[in-house]
Each structure stands twice: as structure tokens, then as C-alpha cells.
């Protein structure tokens, strides 16, 4: 155990530079100013783009990484449009995948994300969430308004509403209203909020359901459970259908919830210094609030969150970090805006620390020299990238299969697709748009995530590629090569005949190296 902790410490100090680690000692004194500047400039850039009033759907993120990565969800929406919510896709997982497996899929919010674009959707969610938190806590005094400035200048606010969130934000934006109605016994309002959330985000209704159980057990509030029942029905039906298709089991294995029998092992679950750091920030404010106000509603919410965060970070991962961030930001913001105490300044300082973790430690690489805070963002349009990929597929007939070649990850989850997973998302999206199947993808991995499954689709040598193309009846192959800070994906027919290529930049913050 001691050796393991020592190894984790060594890896931590090797991963981050001395400049970054020294920065941890001083960042609280200026982080709000830098964050606020980044937010204001980012919002100016976003508004300028949206005011043009066209091609919103192509703005799939405010950084190159998220813009590319969000095409994972655009591809899901595309397949739902083609084959139906519970249909059988001929384009995913090598040409045979039941969409009924995807219990977490929400067609309405996916459609909104694909139609409006992620950037526009995040702005709408930001306005709804901020208005809800401000209005529901009766924020009117100068002091409370100053706290709103602290909230919007925080790392967690920027991470959620500018950088990290996807279509699930349409459910999360309703969380303040759901919490408020739950805490104030407004059962009709809670029914409306929870039922609408169930159509927007599986993850948000999962978390809300946990809190409903906590409050039913704590307060014995059976009416709360009754008002939540319609959302439960909407939540349960896709899961029951998915269970029939082994979808729940497959997804939980891929997420790392179930380790027995799963081939690909996750290394991002377990004790880590970053996890301990975040748990300390969140736990400190929760304890501080409890010391001032005792075991009230918000204390229960925060202690329940600390339990969920520890469970997700150290034992069994069931949610992305941004989901946990938005939950804590919502609870802590509503708590601090509703609080009144003579030692309020101490609690405010604890709140300030808790919502401002160092940005490079919450799963986001610093872009260029952005150590103090994130640098201002500009919405990223994928239009040119999609056009380039479309041009690459111009000679590929609908109904064709394309093999993408990657090294064998040797059962390590983090090495799947050689670390280039995000770049295959827009490629698969365009391919599926023209009824072309590209594999392996995440759905193919899910189907083959058992110990006795074959590894024959991995391999980058000529003999391996030719054999795999023959076995899976693939006439085309996409191979990649790295050139310094560039990764180039090239499409070949019958392995030898080059049809086209596209290049992506590997530099954080940069867009595409399109030639």
C-alpha cells in the first residue's frame, strides 16, 4: 500500500511541471479574475458567432477537443433518425447493433444538440441554470449579487457551461428547480421538473433519483416519491428494454462498474491525488456548512454528494466528472445564496475554494500557457472538417464497410484506438450519414468486451490488416500515421489504392491541420 501511494505520487509529480505545482499555492488569490476574463471574452466570441444566425449546428464545441469529441453524440442522433429509437443499426459495431441497448440515450436532447449545435445549447442551459439559481434563492441584496459574480467566475462554472458538457446539460439546467421544489415540498413543481428532466438526460435523473431516495428515507416523505414516479417510469422503460438486449450489462462493463468478465480494464478508477484534492475541496465546504447550520436540507444534499463523488472516483466509475461538477456547483451555490450567519465570510471563503479547483487538475490540459485559468474560448465550426471527410469518402459506395486500423491495446482501456478515439468520431459520423459502416468503434468494443472475445480486428501490419478486411468483408481501410504534431488518417481501397486523407492537429487548443 505504501509503495503504491509512493508510485502514484511519483507519477503525479512527473505529469505536472514544477511551475504548475507552485501555481497551486497561489492560484486562489487571482483565479477569479482570470476566470472572469476568460468567461467574458469567451461569451463575446460565442455571441458574435451566434448572431451571424447560420450554421449553428456545425459549432459542436468551444474547443477543438470537445468539438470533435461531441460527434460521438451526433452519430447516435443520426442512427436514431435512420433506424428508430429501438431499431437495429446497420452502421454501428461493424454493421449490427441494437439501439435498444443504449438505455441512457435521450432522443429529444440529442436532436436539439444536433440541430442547434452544442455551443448554442450550452448558452441556453447557462441562462436557464443561472436564472433559476438567482430567482429561486431570492437573490436581491448586493451581497448576494456579489456571490453570483463569484459563481460565474469559478472554474466549475466555466468547465460546465463553456468546455465540458454535452446534451446532458439540458437536464442539468433544470436541477436547481428540481432541488428547490423538492426541499420546499412543492410536489407538482417537482413532478414537472423531474418528468421533463427524464426526457433530457439519463444521468441527471439518475442523480436526482438518488437524492429522492435519501430524502424519502430521511424525511419519510412519501409524496415526494409519488411525484417522482412518472419520471421513474420514463427512466425504467428504456432500461428494461436494454436489459433484454444485454445493453445494461455491456455498458456497465465498459464504464468499469462491473469488472468481472470484462476484457478492457480501466485505470482511471482508484485512489488518486487529484481525486483526493477534489474530495478535500468539496468535503471541506460540506463540513463547514454543517458546522454553521447543522444537519439541514443542504447539508444532506452535500454529504450525499461527497459520498457519490468518493464512490465514483475511487471505487466504481458511473458518471463523467462534469456531471459531478454540475451537481456540486448547483448544491453549493443554492446553499451559499440561501445562507445567513454572522460568520458568513468564513463560509464564503470555503465556498470560493470549493468551486475553484485548479483548472489543469480537473481533467483539462492547460492550453498553451493557460495555467492560472482556462484561456478564452472561441466556438469551433466543424463544417470544413466534415466537408474534407465527405470528399475523402466520395468514391465509397453506400453499404460499404471500412476497417480502421489500430494497435492491440492488450486489454487496457486507456490504450484503445491508440489514444485517438476522438478523431474517429467525425469520420464515423460522415460515413454513417452516407450509409457507410466504419469499424471498430465504441459499440464494436462493447460487443467484444468479454474475456473470450476475439482480438483479430486489432493490428497494423499488412498481413493483419488484409486478413481482417477479408474476415469482415471490408473493401476499404483507414490507416493513420503521426507526423510530429499531426495525425493523418488515409483511406485506401483494397489496402493499396489511396482515395483521400484528412489531417488533425495534436496540439491542445489548435484546430485541424487540413491540407
Amino acid at each position: 500500500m505504501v509503495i503504491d501511494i509512493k508510485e502514484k505520487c511519483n507519477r503525479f509529480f512527473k505529469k505536472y511541471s514544477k511551475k504548475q505545482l507552485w501555481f497551486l499555492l497561489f492560484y486562489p488569490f487571482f483565479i477569479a479574475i482570470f476566470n472572469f476574463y476568460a468567461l467574458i471574452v469567451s461569451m463575446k466570441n460565442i455571441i458574435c458567432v451566434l448572431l451571424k444566425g447560420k450554421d449553428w449546428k456545425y459549432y459542436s464545441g468551444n474547443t477543438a477537443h470537445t468539438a470533435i469529441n461531441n460527434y460521438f453524440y451526433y452519430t447516435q442522433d443520426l442512427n436514431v433518425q435512420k433506424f428508430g429509437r429501438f431499431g437495429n443499426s446497420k452502421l454501428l459495431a461493424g454493421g449490427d447493433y441494437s439501439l435498444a441497448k443504449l438505455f441512457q440515450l435521450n432522443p429529444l436532447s440529442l436532436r436539439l444538440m444536433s440541430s442547434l449545435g452544442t455551443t448554442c445549447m450550452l448558452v441556453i442551459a447557462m441562462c436557464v441554470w443561472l436564472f433559476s439559481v438567482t430567482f429561486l434563492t431570492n437573490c436581491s441584496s448586493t451581497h448576494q449579487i456579489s456571490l453570483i459574480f463569484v459563481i460565474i467566475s469559478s472554474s466549475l462554472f466555466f468547465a460546465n457551461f463553456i468546455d465540458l458538457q454535452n446534451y446532458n446539460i439540458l437536464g442539468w439546467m433544470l436541477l436547481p428547480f428540481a432541488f428547490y421544489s423538492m426541499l420546499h415540498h412543492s410536489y407538482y413543481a417537482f413532478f414537472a421538473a423531474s418528468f421533463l428532466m427524464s426526457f433530457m438526460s439519463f444521468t441527471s435523473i439518475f442523480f436526482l433519483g438518488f437524492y429522492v431516495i435519501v430524502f424519502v428515507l430521511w424525511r419519510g416523505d412519501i409524496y415526494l416519491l409519488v411525484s417522482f414516479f412518472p419520471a421513474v417510469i420514463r427512466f425504467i422503460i428504456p432500461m428494461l428494454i436494454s436489459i433484454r438486449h444485454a445493453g445494461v450489462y455491456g455498458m456497465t462493463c465498459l464504464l468499469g462498474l462491473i469488472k468481472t468478465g470484462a476484457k478492457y480494464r480501466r485505470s482511471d478508477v482508484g485512489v488518486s491525488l487529484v481525486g483526493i484534492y477534489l474530495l478535500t475541496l468539496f468535503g471541506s465546504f460540506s463540513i463547514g456548512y454543517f458546522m454553521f447550520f447543522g444537519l439541514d436540507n443542504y447539508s444532506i444534499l452535500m454529504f450525499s454528494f461527497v459520498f457519490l463523488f468518493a464512490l465514483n472516483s475511487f471505487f466504481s466509475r458511473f458518471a463523467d466528472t462534469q456531471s459531478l461538477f454540475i451537481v456540486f456547483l448547483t448544491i453549493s451555490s443554492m446553499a451559499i445564496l440561501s445562507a445567513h450567519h454572522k460568520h458568513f465570510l468564513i463560509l464564503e471563503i470555503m465556498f470560493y475554494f470549493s468551486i475553484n479547483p485548479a483548472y489543469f487538475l480537473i481533467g483539462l490540459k492547460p492550453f498553451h500557457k493557460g495555467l492560472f485559468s482556462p484561456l478564452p474560448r472561441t466556438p469551433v465550426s466543424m463544417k470544413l472538417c466534415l466537408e474534407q471527410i465527405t470528399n475523402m469518402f466520395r468514391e465509397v459506395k453506400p453499404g460499404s464497410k471500412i476497417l480502421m486500423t489500430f494497435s492491440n491495446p492488450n486489454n487496457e482501456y486507456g490504450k484503445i484506438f491508440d489514444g485517438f478515439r476522438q478523431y474517429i468520431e467525425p469520420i464515423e459520423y460522415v460515413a454513417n450519414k452516407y450509409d457507410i459502416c466504419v469499424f471498430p468503434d465504441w459499440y464494436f468494443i462493447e460487443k467484444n468486451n468479454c474475456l473470450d472475445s476475439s482480438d483479430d480486428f486489432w493490428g497494423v501490419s499488412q498481413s493483419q490488416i488484409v486478413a481482417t478486411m477479408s474476415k469482415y468483408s471490408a473493401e476499404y481501410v483507414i490507416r493513420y500515421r503521426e507526423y510530429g504534431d499531426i495525425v493523418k488518417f488515409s483511406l485506401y481501397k483494397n489496402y493499396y489504392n489511396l482515395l483521400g486523407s484528412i489531417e488533425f492537429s495534436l496540439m491542445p487548443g489548435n484546430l485541424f491541420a487540413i491540407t
Side-chain angles (χ1 to χ4, degrees):
M1 182 66 179
V2 176
I3 296 176
D4 182 58
I5 294 176
K6 185 177 180 181
E7 289 177 354
K8 289 179 181 293
C9 291
N10 289 335
R11 288 199 299 268
F12 178 83
F13 290 118
K14 287 180 180 180
K15 182 177 181 180
Y16 301 107
S17 66
K18 291 183 179 179
K19 183 178 180 181
Q20 289 174 310
L21 296 176
W22 274 108
F23 157 74
L24 283 176
L25 299 176
F26 303 103
Y27 87 92
F29 299 104
F30 43 72
I31 188 68
I33 298 173
F34 283 94
N35 277 347
F36 186 70
Y37 169 77
L39 177 68
I40 293 301
V41 177
S42 298
M43 288 305 301
K44 178 185 75 69
N45 295 337
I46 290 170
I47 291 171
C48 287
V49 166
L50 296 181
L51 287 178
K52 293 178 181 178
K54 60 179 181 179
D55 295 335
W56 284 4
K57 65 181 181 180
Y58 293 111
Y59 290 95
S60 54
N62 298 317
T63 67
H65 174 82
T66 54
I68 297 172
N69 192 62
N70 279 334
Y71 270 83
F72 174 80
Y73 306 107
Y74 285 52
T75 300
Q76 287 183 343
D77 174 66
L78 179 64
N79 277 269
V80 169
Q81 300 304 312
K82 285 178 176 285
F83 303 104
R85 170 62 182 90
F86 299 106
N88 197 61
S89 173
K90 304 299 181 183
L91 304 174
L92 302 177
D96 182 23
Y97 188 81
S98 174
L99 296 176
K101 288 185 174 184
L102 301 176
F103 60 90
Q104 78 280 13
L105 190 149
N106 289 274
L108 177 59
S109 50
L110 280 174
R111 188 89 287 263
L112 288 171
M113 180 180 182
S114 299
S115 302
L116 296 175
T118 309
T119 295
C120 178
M121 182 190 66
L122 289 175
V123 171
I124 293 172
M126 178 196 297
C127 294
V128 172
W129 185 92
L130 195 57
F131 173 80
S132 299
V133 168
T134 305
F135 175 76
L136 294 174
T137 55
N138 296 316
C139 185
S140 57
S141 69
T142 303
H143 187 70
Q144 286 175 310
I145 293 173
S146 68
L147 286 173
I148 292 294
F149 170 79
V150 173
I151 292 168
I152 66 174
S153 302
S154 68
S155 299
L156 295 188
F157 187 88
F158 194 95
N160 276 288
F161 294 108
I162 301 295
D163 272 357
L164 291 180
Q165 283 288 352
N166 48 54
Y167 71 94
N168 284 294
I169 196 64
L170 294 176
W172 292 123
M173 70 181 184
L174 300 172
L175 190 62
F177 188 72
F179 276 156
Y180 180 85
S181 55
M182 181 176 71
L183 299 183
H184 290 79
H185 307 278
S186 301
Y187 301 115
Y188 289 111
F190 182 76
F191 154 72
S194 60
F195 192 58
L196 183 57
M197 286 175 69
S198 70
F199 285 93
M200 295 298 182
S201 168
F202 176 90
T203 311
S204 65
I205 209 68
F206 170 80
F207 275 83
L208 185 61
F210 171 79
Y211 282 111
V212 168
I213 293 172
V214 169
F215 272 79
V216 168
L217 294 176
W218 185 50
R219 299 192 311 201
D221 193 345
I222 192 65
Y223 295 107
L224 180 64
L225 187 61
V226 171
S227 61
F228 188 61
F229 190 71
V232 172
I233 297 299
R234 171 65 182 83
F235 178 87
I236 289 294
I237 289 176
M239 289 198 70
L240 294 177
I241 296 174
S242 179
I243 289 172
R244 289 181 56 195
H245 295 80
V248 174
Y249 177 79
M251 188 62 64
T252 51
C253 285
L254 202 60
L255 290 173
L257 274 170
I258 298 177
K259 299 179 177 63
T260 304
K263 173 178 287 189
Y264 299 104
R265 302 181 301 270
R266 298 191 70 122
S267 60
D268 56 350
V269 177
V271 178
S272 67
L273 293 181
V274 173
I276 294 172
Y277 164 72
L278 292 172
L279 184 63
T280 301
L281 292 181
F282 301 149
S284 296
F285 178 70
S286 302
I287 295 171
Y289 184 91
F290 169 74
M291 291 177 65
F292 288 130
F293 297 98
L295 196 63
D296 68 355
N297 288 332
Y298 287 114
S299 293
I300 293 294
L301 288 175
M302 282 187 276
F303 284 134
S304 299
F305 169 81
V306 170
F307 169 77
L308 285 176
F309 181 84
L311 185 65
N312 187 74
S313 301
F314 305 141
F315 299 101
S316 189
R317 188 177 186 273
F318 52 84
D320 293 328
T321 53
Q322 62 263 33
S323 297
L324 293 156
F325 291 160
I326 190 66
V327 173
F328 182 77
L329 182 65
T330 301
I331 297 171
S332 59
S333 297
M334 294 181 70
I336 199 73
L337 288 170
S338 303
H340 301 283
H341 197 278
K342 62 181 179 180
H343 299 302
F344 198 54
L345 180 60
I346 299 175
L347 196 61
E348 284 182 337
I349 294 173
M350 298 176 73
F351 172 68
Y352 174 81
F353 273 86
S354 70
I355 63 173
N356 278 298
Y359 213 70
F360 68 90
L361 289 180
I362 59 176
L364 298 167
K365 296 180 180 178
F367 292 166
H368 305 297
K369 57 184 179 181
L371 297 177
F372 300 150
S373 71
L375 294 179
R377 310 297 197 223
T378 300
V380 176
S381 173
M382 291 288 290
K383 186 175 183 179
L384 180 58
C385 176
L386 298 179
E387 289 174 352
Q388 290 285 326
I389 298 173
T390 300
N391 185 58
M392 185 172 72
F393 288 143
R394 66 187 182 279
E395 296 183 24
V396 181
K397 297 179 180 179
S400 300
K401 281 188 176 183
I402 301 177
L403 169 69
M404 293 193 75
T405 60
F406 298 98
S407 303
N408 192 323
N410 296 316
N411 300 349
E412 292 189 40
Y413 181 92
K415 294 183 179 180
I416 295 176
F417 304 127
D418 295 337
F420 296 127
R421 183 199 66 81
Q422 68 187 75
Y423 299 109
I424 74 173
E425 302 304 346
I427 294 175
E428 182 171 35
Y429 172 80
V430 174
N432 285 187
K433 183 178 180 180
Y434 294 102
D435 296 320
I436 301 166
C437 174
V438 174
F439 75 100
D441 54 14
W442 269 121
Y443 312 98
F444 197 91
I445 301 303
E446 179 202 324
K447 288 175 63 175
N448 290 274
N449 189 26
C450 51
L451 294 176
D452 58 351
S453 62
S454 174
D455 283 338
D456 59 5
F457 54 90
W458 300 119
V460 294
S461 69
Q462 180 176 343
S463 60
Q464 290 173 315
I465 294 172
V466 172
T468 305
M469 291 176 69
S470 176
K471 177 177 179 178
Y472 291 95
S473 303
E475 189 178 354
Y476 304 87
V477 61
I478 293 178
R479 294 181 285 167
Y480 79 87
R481 290 190 65 182
E482 289 185 73
Y483 302 90
D485 296 326
I486 302 296
V487 58
K488 182 177 183 179
F489 291 87
S490 300
L491 173 66
Y492 295 86
K493 183 177 182 179
N494 297 324
Y495 186 82
Y496 296 104
N497 301 322
L498 179 64
L499 300 181
S501 61
I502 183 169
E503 297 179 352
F504 295 95
S505 171
L506 298 178
M507 292 295 291
N510 286 357
L511 187 50
F512 320 103
I514 297 177
T515 58

